[in-house]
Amino acid sequence: MRTKWKQTLVMFVLIFSLLIPSASYLAIAEEGLPVTKEYSLNPSVKAAVKSILNEQVAEGTRIGAVVRLTNDGARLTRVPDYEVRVKAEDGVLYTLRPSASNVIAIQPKETVELSYMIVIDREDLFSLSEISWVDVDEFVSPRLEKTIISIPISSIEWRGDSAIFSDKLAKQSWSEIFTIPLLSTSMEYKPVSISEQNTPQGPRTIVGLLATNKSDKKKAIPDFRVNGRSDKKVYTGKRLEQDPIVLGPGEQKYIHYAIPAGKKDELRGLTVLAPESFATDDKTKIEYLIGQLNISLPQDGAEVSEANQPKMYVWNSPIQFDPLNSVIQPEISVSMVGLQMHESVGGGFKAAVAKFKLTNRSDRPMPVPKFQAQLMGIDSTKYTGTRQTTVVETLTPNVSYIMYYSFVLPSNEKGDQLTMEILDSETVAPYNIPIATFKTMIKAEKSEDSVLSFYPFKVKINSWKSEVFFGSARESFPYSYKLSIDLDVSLQDEVVVDQNFPKLKVEMVSDKGKVIGSKTIPFIGENRVATGTQTINMDSVLYEFSNSLRIYETIDTPYGQADRLITTLQ
């Protein structure tokens, strides 16, 4: 009678397992290989150990195991009803509890993962030597126990976040390609970048890996973590790309991790870890990590960029972007047409102004790319650019658009040795990812034959004269000046700008060097700089005769107005 009841129960379990896919209990990592070799539990089921945890926790010691069972048979097979035990080096045996999410049956030719765990009140350090499956017959007295298989595990035991790998194969050099066999053998990774960034949450070290799908099928990048470690502390990293990433055959993509370390110089290395979990019931899960390998940092401590190593930029040439970037579309060409230094009107800082030309080479309108720009001085100090407030949202086919970025620099910056970084500030916001890096310097602009350059505009001043009158529209300014300038204005290239483009500034100066008055004129919109005689009225408290005229290019920065002196006319 008891035998028939047990057979009925087994049949019910098998039917129930057919109705619920085993993947819903615990998804197995695609192509992950077992760390240990396979052992036969019975004629159709083989077992291998994926990971072993032995770490100190507040409650004592947590012991965890994840195993893989493979059904080599031709029909649905129930998971063998054996006890899973681990043995410590001192001979003590611990019986592990199965996870509430473990499957109860295995489909033909399927591999499943089963999780086991126990927390014991033991505070001394010890190591585990083997894991065993034991068949226990509790219906006889005394009960009978038979060890089915035992697998050595001392070489794969993980002791927690602060553990150190003893296996030389688990230690990788920077830029060395590695795989995580525990998760996938077809996905390769290469460390390509490490940089420091300040965020509202504090300083972060950003680590970039280049993932490559080496298989002939679509593969998802598996979930894993990269932590930073110093001599005294472990810094928990967080993957910045939150959405699942699927790569086609041969496809590549970057993934990034933010590590809350104050300075990357404090880090001694990186640790790659794979996630595991154990369900105590339907609602409670214990998440933990198993270390896979250590990665050393660049020996010189220098920052590594995902883009090509910096080379001297050739003015007005297309910038070579990282081909994997998602900000600059291949149909859009971006070039830097100028980098000039402006002086602050009130003093205290300089402003470098970089002008970029964006050209849509496609046959359809395309959105203006939203990239960030950053300048780095010779001492590696970085200055973030302020993007021009953009009015244009789309680029017309075969039409170029000029946009500028301003960088506030210290007043002692000469600008003869600079590095420009173009950044992706959207993909993993608020973090910035370099997509192009090149060396540059302040571009000298020389005026020839009274032709002044305000790229893309050329302004030729044919003649000018000024007159002064008593009385003005404002009582606080008793004198009024009228400045007449005869101009020829033309475009250097077939490009467009908007009303937020830098402006022309005219400043009248007396023979004693005093500024009588100034006027700012836009290059676009109403009352713009145009060919012909331009009349400019100024009110002033000074009654002087002007014998010189200063012409500036002026911009507004977050710190105030900054001017670039173009020429002084006598």
Side-chain angles (χ1 to χ4, degrees), residues 539-569:
D539 294 332
S540 177
V541 296
L542 298 177
Y543 181 75
E544 301 280 353
F545 290 99
S546 175
N547 62 355
S548 62
L549 198 65
R550 295 174 185 162
I551 307 297
Y552 298 90
E553 182 182 47
T554 184
I555 64 165
D556 291 322
T557 77
Y559 290 82
Q561 192 178 70
D563 297 339
R564 176 172 70 96
L565 180 63
I566 305 293
T567 189
T568 300
L569 303 175

Side-chain angles (χ1 to χ4, degrees), residues 343-412:
E343 299 285 342
S344 66
V345 175
F349 71 91
K350 291 181 179 179
V353 178
K355 294 179 182 177
F356 294 93
K357 180 170 69 174
L358 285 62
T359 305
N360 178 5
R361 295 182 284 104
S362 73
D363 58 358
R364 63 190 186 279
M366 301 196 71
V368 174
K370 295 181 179 179
F371 59 87
Q372 181 56 277
Q374 185 170 259
L375 269 183
M376 183 168 65
I378 191 174
D379 59 352
S380 298
T381 302
K382 296 184 177 182
Y383 309 96
T384 301
T386 299
R387 179 186 174 104
Q388 166 192 338
T389 303
T390 309
V391 175
V392 175
E393 295 184 353
T394 58
L395 297 175
T396 303
N398 301 312
V399 174
S400 297
Y401 173 66
I402 300 296
M403 180 171 57
Y404 77 87
Y405 289 74
S406 61
F407 307 82
V408 175
L409 309 176
S411 55
N412 60 354

Side-chain angles (χ1 to χ4, degrees), residues 131-172:
I131 184 170
S132 303
W133 279 257
V134 180
D135 184 15
V136 179
D137 188 350
E138 297 181 350
F139 297 99
V140 297
S141 181
R143 74 176 191 170
L144 295 178
E145 295 186 359
K146 179 184 177 182
T147 300
I148 307 301
I149 58 172
S150 293
I151 303 177
I153 56 175
S154 58
S155 63
I156 63 171
E157 180 185 39
W158 178 249
R159 306 301 293 267
D161 288 344
S162 59
I164 299 176
F165 291 96
S166 58
D167 188 351
K168 292 183 179 179
L169 296 177
K171 298 178 180 179
Q172 304 284 326

Side-chain angles (χ1 to χ4, degrees), residues 481-525:
Y481 290 81
K482 185 173 74 171
L483 175 66
S484 298
I485 308 179
D486 184 21
L487 306 172
D488 286 329
V489 181
S490 60
L491 277 173
Q492 298 183 42
D493 293 318
E494 293 298 322
V495 299
V496 296
V497 301
D498 61 36
Q499 57 261 42
N500 292 311
F501 187 76
K503 299 174 176 59
L504 182 147
K505 179 180 176 181
V506 177
E507 191 175 75
M508 295 176 59
V509 184
S510 72
D511 55 359
K512 298 177 182 178
K514 295 181 179 181
V515 177
I516 298 173
S518 64
K519 192 79 170 183
T520 299
I521 312 170
F523 282 97
I524 198 75

Side-chain angles (χ1 to χ4, degrees), residues 27 35 77 86 88 215 258 378 476 494 504 527 529 554:
V35 174
T77 300
V86 291
S215 74
I378 191 174
S476 56
E494 293 298 322
L504 182 147
N527 301 317
V529 180
T554 184

